[in-house]
Amino acid sequence: MNGKQFGSGGRTPASSRLESLSLTAHQVIQEVRAALRVDFSYDPADPLFVTVVFRPAHDRAVTWQISRTLMCDGLRRPTGNGDVRIWPLRRTGRPVVRLRLHDHGSTALFEIDLADLQDWLARTCEAVPPGTELDDVDWDAALRALVDGT
């Protein structure tokens, strides 16, 4: 599930801090691995999504918004379909997560350290426990925004 959540809720300032993680991941191209920086961020005010910014050394940054639930599920088992697929894997004895992104006929495959991503996602789940993401949504305001086109 890609895209932006509509109708962000009114979370309290104490819970509206942005959780972030910056790490080195690897893009896999025909089993050749190229290191790049990847920045993950999570904003409890927009609780359904994780923003992922891929920063290759010699190209422009690319930003994706990915369902937090999809990312959490992909740490344990293959998940996703369509544009985003995530699955755990052991590579040379260490656990990684593979993330495959597909957009407009292009596909990119990345390997990310499983433990780093797992620890960070656990912190996002402390900020907004799974299942409570929509508790603070003002559904009347969200409906008005859809009807009004704003």
Side-chain angles (χ1 to χ4, degrees):
M1 173 185 197
N2 296 336
K4 190 83 167 117
Q5 173 211 354
F6 65 89
S8 300
R11 297 207 179 261
T12 61
S15 67
S16 65
R17 71 188 186 287
L18 193 68
E19 294 285 342
S20 61
L21 169 70
S22 184
L23 53 79
T24 299
H26 293 89
Q27 184 170 9
V28 180
I29 303 168
Q30 297 178 353
E31 293 306 314
V32 174
R33 299 169 71 236
L36 75 155
R37 193 173 100 220
V38 180
D39 298 325
F40 295 85
S41 61
Y42 179 76
D43 185 352
D46 193 9
L48 295 176
F49 296 96
V50 168
T51 300
V52 185
V53 181
F54 300 91
R55 300 182 186 281
H58 303 291
D59 207 349
R60 65 180 176 82
V62 176
T63 301
W64 280 70
Q65 283 195 307
I66 300 172
S67 160
R68 181 179 71 163
T69 300
L70 181 74
M71 291 197 74
C72 289
D73 290 349
L75 299 180
R76 294 184 304 279
R77 61 178 167 30
T79 189
N81 56 31
D83 294 346
V84 180
R85 294 188 181 180
I86 305 170
W87 66 96
L89 176 75
R90 287 194 87 65
R91 176 153 173 77
T92 60
R94 70 178 181 76
V96 296
V97 172
R98 278 207 165 169
L99 171 63
R100 187 189 71 84
L101 304 173
H102 180 80
D103 187 37
H104 301 297
S106 296
T107 300
L109 179 63
F110 302 92
E111 282 185 359
I112 303 160
D113 182 79
L114 185 130
D116 289 341
L117 189 56
Q118 187 172 37
D119 291 346
W120 178 75
L121 283 167
R123 289 195 310 274
T124 73
C125 291
E126 289 170 6
V128 179
T132 69
E133 294 91 348
L134 300 178
D135 285 358
D136 293 334
V137 172
D138 180 345
W139 291 105
D140 291 332
L143 181 58
R144 278 192 303 277
L146 284 173
V147 170
D148 295 342
T150 57

